[in-house]
Amino acid sequence: MTDLSREDAAFHYYEPARGHGLPYDPFKAIVAPRPIGWISSCDAEGRVNLAPYSFFNAFHDRPPIIAFGSSGRKDSLTNIEATGEFVASMATRPLAEAMNATSASVAPEVDEFALSGLTPAPCRQVRPPRVAESPAAMECRLLHISHLHDLDGRPLDAWMVIGQVVGVHIARAFLKDGLFDTGAAQPIMRAGYLDQYVAATPDSIFRMRRPR
């Protein structure tokens, strides 16, 4: 039998459905750092939207598949439903302030590229532009949008958007001996609470091979 009295002394345990009992919900601080999906999309009329999503990651490599989660029906979700296309540009430390500016809640007709001083660059396979200043961007076509439900089958105000990468742009300055230099690119990631981020740097990269 597990000695729960000893575990209680060393660990704070909670069941999310009953509350965490802490000043702030620790979930996002535990599942961290999380890559940022800097998603550009177009609506049916061609108006461009650019917004960051902190629930974002890669889920397959051949073919490359990425996904992001939308809490609420944001413009990105509506646009991708209508057009089936989006672009994920890498958010980096030099672009952090601009990325943050694109998180503002604005009307659909507001151009976040102009709002943040960023440059839209044309893509080759999809209509939405990529962020020209970003060292890497992935053009995507929609595979599936999943409306999320809880264990009781109740629909949540949340959706997962899954896309297949059909085109990749990499700034040549970040290719070293044919490898993308992640440390030099300095991607930023969400680190937990409302205003916390971390950045990858050359000094933060370490090497460790999987056992054979």
Side-chain angles (χ1 to χ4, degrees), residues 92 153 189:
T92 64
M189 294 150 281

Side-chain angles (χ1 to χ4, degrees), residues 107-128:
E109 62 270 15
V110 175
D111 184 346
E112 286 88 358
F113 278 92
L115 181 69
S116 58
L118 294 165
T119 308
C123 287
R124 300 193 184 190
Q125 305 293 327
V126 299
R127 188 175 184 182

Side-chain angles (χ1 to χ4, degrees), residues 115-167:
L115 181 69
S116 58
L118 294 165
T119 308
C123 287
R124 300 193 184 190
Q125 305 293 327
V126 299
R127 188 175 184 182
R130 59 187 173 87
V131 176
E133 292 83 357
S134 176
M138 297 176 287
E139 303 181 17
C140 301
R141 291 206 176 101
L142 177 66
L143 288 173
H144 182 63
I145 294 177
S146 178
H147 188 182
L148 302 183
H149 295 70
D150 67 11
L151 286 171
D152 296 319
R154 291 176 298 209
L156 305 174
D157 189 22
W159 288 261
M160 178 181 289
V161 179
I162 305 170
Q164 181 171 323
V165 179
V166 295

